[in-house]
Amino acid sequence: MSTESAAVAAAPATAPSLTAVFVRLKLSLLRNGLRQSTGRTVAYVASILVGLLFATVVVLGLIALRGNAHVGALTVLLTGILTLGWAVMPLFSPASDETLDPTRLVMLPLRPRPLIVSLLVSSLVGVGPVVTFALAVGAVVAVAHGPAATVVGVLAVGLVVLVCVSLARAVATASVRLLTSRRGRDLAVLSGLFIALGGQAVNIAAQRLGRPDGLSVLEPLGNVLRWVPPASAISAVEDAGRGAYGRALAGLVLAALALVLLLWWWRRTLTTLMTSPDSSTLQAVEKDSARRSGTGERGLVRLLPGGRTGTVMLRTLRYAWRDPKSKMSWATALGLGLLVPVVSSVQGNGSIFTSFSAAALLGMQMYNQFGQDTSAFWMVASTIATPRDAYQELRARALALALVAVPYVTLVVVGAAALIGPWSDFLEVYGLSLAVLGALLATGAVASTLFPYSIPSEGNKNVAPGQGAIAWFSLFGGVVIAAVLCSPLLGLTIWLHLAGLHALLWVLLPAGVVYGVGMAELGLRWAAPRVARRLPEILSAVSKG
C-alpha cells in the first residue's frame, strides 16, 4: 500500500453536520408521529390549515390597512401578543414537541454552542414558525414605505422570528424539569382558563376597535410596546420609512440585544441542565426526613386547628392544589369571579353588584364534596361512624372552602367598589355576598348528601356516564334553593332602598355575616345525620366510573 493510500485510509471520516442531523431528527419525529394514528394525522393537517388560514386573513387585513395613520400601533401590538404566545405555550403544552426536552440529550457528547445552533435551526421547522414568519411579513408590508424601510423590514422579519423561537426554547429549557413533573402537567389543565381569558380580552379589544375612533385607541399602548423587543424591530421599519434613522437603528439594536440575551440565557440554562443532577429525588428524601422528624409542618399547616377538623381542612386544601380536576375547578371559579367585574367595568356597563360572582362561583365548590374524593372516599367513609363524625367532616370541608372564599370575596368586592363604585354600596354588597356564600355552603352540603355522583379520574369528563341528570339537578337545584334562602335579606335590601333609609344600609353587613353563618350551620347540621345513614349509598354513587 502506498503512502498516499495509507494516509487516506488513516484519515477520519468527516462527521455529518450537527444542524443537519437535528433537522432530519425533527422531520423524522413529525413523520413518525403522524404514522401513529389517523386522528393525529387529521389533527396535524387541520392545525396547518387553520394556522395558514389565520395567517392569510391577518396578513390581508394588515395589507388593507397599509397607509392608515395608526397601523403602526396595531402591528407592534400584534407582535407583542405573538411574542407572549410563544413565551407561554411551552408551559401549557410541554408534550406537544418532543424536541423541547433537552434532557433527552444529556448522555450525548455535545457542546452547548453547536447544540443551541442546531436546536434553533430545527425549531424553525413547524407550523408555528411559518405562521410567525407570515405575520411578521404582513406587519412589515403594512408599515414599510421606501427602500430604506424595505431593507430594515427584511432584518426585522428575521429578528422577530428568531426572538420568538429563542424565547420559547429558553423558557422550555429553564422550566423543563417542572414541566415534566406532576405540577408541570397541571399547568396544561389551566390552559383552558388562559385561553378563555385571552378570548375575552380579544372580544373587548374588538369592541373597542369597532368604535368611531378605531385604531387610535391603540396609540398609548403602541407607544410603550414600540420599545419592547421584538416589537421594536417592527417599529424600526416605520421609523425608517419616515426618515427617523436613529430611532430605526435603536429599534433594531434592541431586538438584536434581546436575541443575544435570550441565547445567552438559553445556553446557561442548557449547560446547567446537562451538567447538574436532577435533585428531585434528594428533595423527596429531605421532605420525607423532615416529615418523620416532625419538622416538616410549616406555614398554613401550623395555623389549622388540631384534631379531625385540621386534618380534613388540610386534605381538602391539598386536593384543591394537587388534584388536576379540583385545581381546574378552583382556578376557573377564582378566575371568572374576578373576570366578571373587570369585564363589565371595561365594557362601560359595570356595577358593583357583579362582584356577587365571586361568592357564587366559590360557594359552588361545596357541591359534590364526596364525589371529589373519587374512589378514595372509602377511606373517609371508614372514619364516619356517627352523625357527629359526619358533622365534623362536613364542617371541616366548609371551613377549608371559607378559608379561601372569605378573603377572596373581600378582595373582589373591595376591588369592584374601587374600580366601579360607588363606595356607598360596599357594605350592603359585601354583606349580601357573605350571605350568598353561607347559603351555598348550606345547600352544597345538602346536595352532596342527597345527590352524590362520581367524577372520573381519567379523561376530560367531570361526571360519570349515567349520572349527568343527578349532577345537573344537584347543582342548579341547589343554586335555586340558595337564592330562595337569601330572599329575606334581599327583600330587606330592596325595602331599605325604596323607603329611602339609605343611612341604615350598613345593617346589611352584620346581618349578612350572621345570616350566612347561620344558614351554613343549619345546612351542615341537617346533612350530617343523613350522611351517616346514607353512607353506603354515597360510597356506591361516588365509586362508579
Side-chain angles (χ1 to χ4, degrees):
M1 181 181 296
S2 63
T3 306
E4 294 181 358
S5 300
V8 171
T14 303
S17 171
L18 185 62
T19 302
V21 170
F22 271 76
V23 171
R24 290 197 299 269
L25 176 63
K26 180 66 174 288
L27 295 175
S28 298
L29 289 173
L30 289 175
R31 183 174 59 254
N32 294 335
L34 296 178
R35 290 176 177 175
Q36 291 182 1
S37 65
T38 305
R40 186 166 182 173
T41 303
V42 172
Y44 186 76
V45 173
S47 67
I48 294 177
L49 295 178
V50 171
L52 293 179
L53 179 62
F54 171 76
T56 302
V57 172
V58 174
V59 170
L60 292 177
L62 291 174
I63 295 175
L65 291 173
R66 178 180 170 85
N68 188 288
H70 306 289
V71 69
L74 176 62
T75 56
V76 296
L77 177 60
L78 289 177
T79 306
I81 295 174
L82 185 66
T83 306
L84 178 63
W86 275 95
V88 300
M89 281 303 105
L91 301 178
F92 289 142
S93 56
S96 61
D97 187 355
E98 295 177 344
T99 61
L100 285 176
D101 186 3
T103 57
R104 299 172 181 266
L105 310 173
V106 168
M107 301 303 295
L108 300 178
L110 302 174
R111 294 184 177 275
R113 180 176 296 180
L115 181 59
I116 284 179
V117 174
S118 302
L119 289 173
L120 181 61
V121 174
S122 63
S123 298
L124 298 176
V125 179
V127 181
V130 172
V131 173
T132 303
F133 176 79
L135 295 179
V137 170
V140 168
V141 171
V143 298
H145 298 280
T150 303
V151 174
V152 174
V154 173
L155 298 176
V157 169
L159 285 172
V160 168
V161 175
L162 290 176
V163 167
C164 289
V165 174
S166 300
L167 177 61
R169 279 292 186 175
V171 170
T173 303
S175 53
V176 63
R177 284 178 176 165
L178 169 65
L179 296 178
T180 53
S181 65
R182 175 185 55 79
R183 291 184 178 180
R185 290 190 294 270
D186 290 348
L187 287 174
V189 178
L190 302 179
S191 60
L193 179 61
F194 179 81
I195 294 173
L197 297 177
Q200 189 60 47
V202 171
N203 179 38
I204 296 174
Q207 293 179 5
R208 288 293 186 90
L209 294 178
R211 295 180 179 179
D213 48 3
L215 296 177
S216 61
V217 299
L218 299 178
E219 285 296 338
L221 182 58
N223 291 333
V224 176
L225 292 179
R226 290 178 192 277
W227 300 105
V228 178
S232 61
I234 300 298
S235 179
V237 179
E238 185 179 17
D239 292 331
R242 295 176 178 176
Y245 299 115
R247 288 169 57 93
L249 179 61
L252 290 177
V253 169
L254 281 175
L257 181 61
L259 177 60
V260 172
L261 290 176
L262 285 172
L263 293 175
W264 172 81
W265 178 40
W266 184 12
R267 178 182 178 181
R268 182 175 180 179
T269 54
L270 183 63
T271 302
T272 303
L273 182 68
M274 301 185 71
T275 57
S276 61
D278 187 354
S279 59
S280 59
T281 305
L282 297 177
Q283 291 175 357
V285 172
E286 293 173 358
K287 291 180 180 179
D288 184 65
S289 300
R291 189 181 299 113
R292 292 182 179 181
S293 61
T295 61
E297 295 185 357
R298 62 181 185 276
L300 180 63
V301 180
R302 294 182 177 181
L303 302 179
L304 297 178
R308 181 183 185 120
T309 300
T311 302
V312 176
M313 290 180 66
L314 181 60
R315 181 200 340 129
T316 302
L317 294 173
R318 282 179 173 172
Y319 274 3
W321 179 250
R322 294 181 178 181
D323 180 65
K325 291 191 175 182
S326 297
K327 179 181 290 187
M328 182 60 188
S329 179
W330 278 76
T332 302
L334 293 171
L336 293 181
L338 184 62
L339 184 65
V340 170
V342 172
V343 170
S344 63
S345 174
V346 172
Q347 291 178 338
N349 55 359
S351 170
I352 188 175
F353 290 92
T354 57
S355 59
F356 284 139
S357 60
L361 290 170
L362 271 185
M364 286 191 291
Q365 302 305 308
M366 187 65 186
Y367 285 75
N368 196 34
Q369 278 292 309
F370 305 127
Q372 295 177 23
D373 294 349
T374 62
S375 59
F377 177 67
W378 72 269
M379 300 180 66
V380 177
S382 64
T383 66
I384 300 177
T386 63
R388 178 175 175 78
D389 295 335
Y391 171 74
Q392 291 179 341
E393 177 74 24
L394 287 171
R395 185 187 62 180
R397 291 175 184 246
L399 287 174
L401 199 155
L403 187 64
V404 178
V406 173
Y408 177 75
V409 169
T410 304
L411 176 65
V412 172
V413 177
V414 170
L419 185 64
I420 304 174
W423 278 102
S424 57
D425 293 338
F426 168 74
L427 294 179
E428 61 175 300
V429 173
Y430 188 34
L432 289 173
S433 296
L434 295 177
V436 169
L437 178 62
L440 287 171
L441 291 178
T443 56
V446 173
S448 298
T449 305
L450 299 180
F451 307 105
Y453 57 91
S454 176
I455 300 177
S457 301
E458 303 295 334
N460 298 322
K461 294 182 178 181
N462 290 321
V463 182
Q467 295 184 323
I470 298 176
W472 283 101
F473 185 80
S474 169
L475 182 60
F476 287 98
V479 170
V480 171
I481 295 175
V484 173
L485 292 176
C486 292
S487 58
L489 209 59
L490 183 60
L492 175 62
T493 305
I494 296 175
W495 179 77
L496 289 175
H497 277 280
L498 294 178
L501 302 175
H502 298 90
L504 296 178
L505 287 173
W506 64 270
V507 176
L508 293 172
L509 177 56
V513 173
V514 174
Y515 196 83
V517 172
M519 284 291 100
E521 181 68 15
L522 287 176
L524 295 173
R525 290 194 176 276
W526 188 92
R530 289 161 178 81
V531 169
R533 289 199 304 265
R534 302 184 71 250
L535 199 57
E537 300 175 30
I538 297 175
L539 183 59
S540 175
V542 301
S543 299
K544 294 180 180 180

